[in-house]
Amino acid sequence: MAYETLLIETKDQVTTITLNRPQSKNAMNPQMHFDMCDALAQVERDDDCRVLVITGAGDSFCAGMDVKEYFYDTEGKPEARAAARKAAFEWMFKRLRLLPKPTIAAVNGWCFGGAFAWLAVCDFAVASETATFGLSEVNWGIIPAGGVTKLVSTLLAPRDALYLIMTGRPITGKQAAEMRLVNSAVPSEKLAEATLDLADELKKKNPTVLAYCKEVFRVDQNLSLEDALAFETEKWTELDAAAKKTWHKGVKQFKEERTLRPGLETYRWKE
Ligand code: V55
């Protein structure tokens, strides 16, 4: 399926979605939100996809919400605005945040405003050292809305979050790694390689187990300790049925065959 605003490619079980409005620094217009809803539904169903990477075409990752098409052109058109917002929230906070596969943001360049909302809900982020990040909302008179403030407040230390929110100052990829907005920053020519290295490591894990790890983390983020304990126990039981107790193989490899060091490597769950 071809999209107006996205490129999609799957290679060696890694699917890459590339935001493709480089003339607008990959700003998200309403059409991109509709396209992302579709694309992520397809990725979820695709058994050939084990890891999802999201990146941007040209010199940008994503410039945030398209100021003209998302904000300005929908002034006085509450239905058009609500439709775009609903699609945006759906792909970011349901489809992407809860995708039962690992997701990696490969931040190749400009990353501003609303891009932080979905950057925050990717499981991992790798940046080019020379990428530029910023919460530019304050610089043109709005607040970081659409979940940006909330997600930045849980992802970052309060000092860093308010620094970005209230100064609107840009930071480099290197600084973003220091404040843990991304896992790591690498020279721009190494970004693809660093991203695929991480994807390869994730591909070695049992995908069912990974999906459960992620779901439990996402749900636990919104639970009390008591509720989380009950939920984790429930999900562990459910995983035993879903993954057919492959952990017994791990125990055998570790304790009988002595061919597995679980502190250092993944068990052979396919055998
Ligand atoms: C912003 C982001 C949104 C939104 C409205 O940060 C404003 C600006 C991620 O969605 O719907």
Side-chain angles (χ1 to χ4, degrees):
M1 161 118 197
Y3 296 99
E4 200 178 310
T5 66
L6 307 172
L7 300 169
I8 307 199
E9 185 189 37
T10 300
K11 194 177 172 230
D12 300 332
Q13 302 189 98
V14 178
T15 299
T16 301
I17 297 181
T18 304
L19 307 195
N20 191 31
R21 299 185 69 228
Q23 70 288 1
S24 301
K25 304 232 176 287
N26 304 318
M28 298 175 281
N29 63 353
Q31 187 60 48
M32 189 181 284
H33 296 310
F34 304 140
D35 288 351
M36 277 301 256
C37 283
D38 272 28
L40 290 170
Q42 185 185 312
V43 162
E44 180 161 348
R45 280 194 306 268
D46 182 2
D47 290 332
D48 191 40
C49 167
R50 292 280 307 281
V51 180
L52 174 66
V53 173
I54 313 182
T55 192
D59 67 357
S60 301
F61 176 66
C62 174
M65 295 307 205
D66 189 292
V67 170
K68 180 172 184 295
E69 289 191 45
Y70 186 81
F71 294 114
Y72 201 72
D73 292 352
T74 60
E75 281 274 274
K77 295 180 187 161
E79 283 157 4
R81 178 172 285 187
R85 182 187 289 127
K86 187 169 180 236
F89 288 5
E90 162 137 356
W91 78 259
M92 293 176 185
F93 308 130
K94 295 197 177 97
R95 294 193 185 280
L96 180 60
R97 185 175 69 94
L98 302 173
L99 191 81
K101 319 188 184 203
T103 56
I104 308 172
V107 185
N108 56 306
W110 307 108
C111 176
F112 284 95
F116 277 56
W118 64 268
L119 174 69
V121 299
C122 285
D123 305 325
F124 306 93
V126 184
S128 160
E129 281 170 356
T130 53
T132 305
F133 296 76
L135 290 177
S136 41
E137 286 88 341
V138 70
N139 291 337
W140 62 284
I142 70 165
I143 63 167
V148 173
T149 296
K150 175 67 178 167
L151 288 160
V152 162
S153 81
T154 58
L155 192 61
L156 299 182
R159 289 269 177 262
D160 292 323
L162 279 168
Y163 176 87
L164 290 170
I165 291 168
M166 296 178 74
T167 70
R169 270 200 211 167
I171 60 168
T172 64
K174 202 159 176 265
Q175 291 172 299
E178 284 161 8
M179 66 169 67
R180 312 304 294 140
L181 178 58
V182 297
N183 293 92
S184 60
V186 298
S188 62
E189 69 275 13
K190 298 267 187 226
L191 181 62
E193 186 189 324
T195 306
L196 289 180
D197 280 353
L198 179 56
D200 280 342
E201 186 169 348
L202 292 161
K203 279 194 307 191
K204 291 182 189 138
K205 310 296 178 196
N206 182 325
T208 308
V209 178
L210 266 190
Y212 274 75
C213 285
K214 174 169 175 172
E215 187 196 350
V216 167
F217 181 86
R218 294 289 176 215
V219 175
D220 273 3
Q221 284 184 307
N222 300 321
L223 297 181
S224 68
L225 177 60
E226 281 76 13
D227 288 346
L229 293 172
F231 185 65
E232 289 179 16
T233 303
E234 175 62 30
K235 281 287 153 178
W236 186 12
T237 310
E238 195 184 307
L239 171 63
D240 256 358
K244 306 192 183 73
K245 293 198 192 259
T246 57
W247 67 273
H248 288 190
K249 295 184 192 181
V251 174
K252 207 168 166 193
Q253 290 158 17
F254 176 32
K255 288 286 160 194
E256 288 175 26
E257 298 168 16
R258 304 239 166 230
T259 55
L260 172 71
R261 299 162 301 167
L264 303 177
E265 64 213 354
T266 302
Y267 75 126
R268 300 180 302 282
W269 47 273
K270 275 186 259 190
E271 286 175 13

